[in-house]
Amino acid sequence: MPFSPSSKAPVSLLRAPLIALGILALAALALAPLAALGAQSVSNGPAPAVTADTLPVPVVDGEVSDLLLKGKQLEVRYRNTGSVATMIVGELQVRDANDEVVLAVPFADARRVEAGRAEKFRLAMPHLAPGHYTLFAVVDFGGETMTAAQAALEIRP
């Protein structure tokens, strides 16, 4: 039987349930986003309190990483290994074989060093009599302790 727009074909018993199932599936898909939106939860409670226990603790720390002789100059390298900027005071101490301080030369006086940054300080090599010495580059960075580097030095006649 040829199809024409005016012809009325009877709906078979198998087609009717398939059409109904398709309509039901489309309705389920249309409602799924609404169900998902309803499943989301939002807390209207108070925000968590910020206390001293939850704040990061600032760390004040530093190190003298090197004490080098470069020609007639000494170079001191300091690095702020803490988490906050600090003011430092640095001094070069020259000690003799008896561990007596024979000379002290400041190389940093209230110098601000940012967290994670390194600084180089240069100072002229002090004039010393022949003998055995120990050089100490001592830095007070404001922590509970100080940091230092040392180097042995021999001045020959």
Side-chain angles (χ1 to χ4, degrees), residues 93-147:
Q93 296 178 359
V94 180
R95 296 177 181 250
D96 64 13
N98 297 324
D99 204 29
E100 297 291 327
V101 177
V102 295
L103 184 66
V105 180
F107 61 84
D109 186 22
R111 177 90 173 255
R112 181 182 171 93
V113 180
E114 296 297 323
R117 302 287 302 194
E119 296 281 338
K120 291 179 186 177
F121 302 94
R122 292 183 186 237
L123 57 150
M125 177 63 192
H127 180 71
L128 299 168
H132 287 38
Y133 299 95
T134 304
L135 305 176
F136 289 92
V138 182
V139 175
D140 182 349
F141 54 85
E144 293 181 17
T145 62
M146 290 188 270
T147 183

Side-chain angles (χ1 to χ4, degrees), residues 64-67 76-77 92 134-139 147-151:
V64 177
S65 57
D66 283 313
L67 173 58
V76 177
R77 294 180 187 168
L92 175 72
T134 304
L135 305 176
F136 289 92
V138 182
V139 175
T147 183
Q150 72 181 51

